[in-house]
Each structure stands twice: as structure tokens, then as C-alpha cells.
Amino acid sequence: MGPAHRAALIAVLVTLGRELGRRTVTWTRRHTAARTVACATAVGVCVAAYALITGRSPAEAALSGQATLAQLAAHPHAWSVGALVALVACKGLAWGIALGALRGGPIFPAVLLGAATALACSGLPGFGATPALALGIAAAAAAVTGLPLASSVLAVLLMGRDAHDQTPLIVMASVVAFVVAQLVRRAEPEADRASGGAPGGAPTTGAVR
């Protein structure tokens, strides 16, 4: 799996998380109070599952992502592949649900998911921890914002001194993730129409637009 494939994978995961948020918005329009409580419970289950599976702090999956991203950058080898996969799965589900029903920000949770996904692949030949972080941050930011140039700048700023050698990888990841995310989003209304849903998909909140 080359860097472009990893950027595409991250774009798909982030876009699916946003789609979960969009569908959660639709589901909570009726019986809002009861269903919001159900969503909060589901988020709690995801966070608890992460803590039970990995033995790590539940805050890593519960909070917005800045602190955990800093931990990943400072100590990437302190995380096993299994812990990273659990973080992506549990945090991804919790983030998608929170986007649609609770207070959930779109940017840093997505960036954390991208970084964790890329780090889980960092053991593959020719792909170390630093390139993984650069690729993951850039790809996730481009997928969630739709702004590849701004995402490249964000990745450069977050990588600091390590950004110089990773700039070509950052640019490539941003462009690939942007294109893949747009293709996946374009396919979603087509799937809704094929299944009898409303053309163009359901309305969204500002967080999951």
C-alpha cells in the first residue's frame, strides 16, 4: 500500500464519519430528547470500549483530539497497532455520532483519526512515523475541510521542523484525499436516490456540512 492509497483510505474513513453524522441528524429530528440521550449513551459506550480494549485512558477517545494528537507525535512508538486501530474505530464512531447529535467539532477529531490511521500503517516498508504523521494530518484535514491548500499549510505548521522533508508527501496526501472525499460525497446522493431516499441527501447541521 503506497502513500496515495493510505491518503485515500483516510479520506474514505473521514468521509464515512461525516456521513454517520449526517444520518444521525436525520434520525434525531423525531423524538429528539430520547434519541439524543441514546446517542450520548452510544458515545459513552464507544469511549468505554476503547478504554477496556486498550487499557489506555478513555480521554484519548473522548476529547476533541488535540491532546491525543500531541501524544501521538511525541511518542508514536508507545502505541501498538491494535491500540491505534481501536482508537480509529471507537473514536470514529463516537465522532460521527457526536457530529449529528451532540457537540462535535469536525476538524481536530478528523485529524486525529487520520494521524492514527497513518501511524497504524507506519510499520510497512518505507513508511516511518514522521511521514505517517505528515500524511495523516494532511489527508484528514483535506478530506474534512475540502481545502487541500489550507490543509497542507496546517500539516506544515503542526509538523514544525520536520515539515521541510515531508512537504511533497503533504501536498500529495492533501490532493489525493480531497479528490477521493469529493468522489465519495458525490456517490452518497446517488446511493440515496437508488434506495428511494431524498435527492441530494438529508439536510445537515453546520458541523457535518
Side-chain angles (χ1 to χ4, degrees), residues 69-171:
L69 183 63
Q71 293 176 25
L72 281 174
H75 307 287
H77 301 295
W79 300 66
S80 67
V81 173
L84 291 168
V85 171
L87 178 63
V88 172
C90 297
K91 176 66 175 178
L93 286 172
W95 173 59
I97 295 169
L99 273 178
L102 306 167
R103 289 188 61 187
I107 306 298
F108 271 98
V111 170
L112 173 60
L113 293 176
T117 301
L119 277 175
C121 301
S122 64
L124 298 176
F127 199 62
T130 299
L133 280 171
L135 182 147
I137 291 170
V144 76
T145 64
L147 302 170
L149 178 58
S151 301
S152 297
V153 173
L154 175 64
V156 168
L157 291 175
L158 290 177
M159 292 300 297
R161 290 177 297 178
D162 293 326
H164 181 268
D165 294 334
Q166 308 304 326
T167 299
L169 181 65
I170 288 172
V171 173

Side-chain angles (χ1 to χ4, degrees), residues 22-117:
R22 188 176 72 88
R23 293 184 181 275
T24 304
V25 169
T26 304
W27 186 69
T28 55
R29 288 190 186 279
R30 298 182 60 189
H31 311 293
T32 301
R35 291 183 175 182
T36 300
V37 171
C39 288
T41 302
V43 170
V45 169
C46 291
V47 172
Y50 170 77
L52 290 172
I53 292 169
T54 64
R56 300 181 65 94
S57 170
E60 294 171 350
L63 301 180
S64 60
Q66 293 97 316
T68 308
L69 183 63
Q71 293 176 25
L72 281 174
H75 307 287
H77 301 295
W79 300 66
S80 67
V81 173
L84 291 168
V85 171
L87 178 63
V88 172
C90 297
K91 176 66 175 178
L93 286 172
W95 173 59
I97 295 169
L99 273 178
L102 306 167
R103 289 188 61 187
I107 306 298
F108 271 98
V111 170
L112 173 60
L113 293 176
T117 301

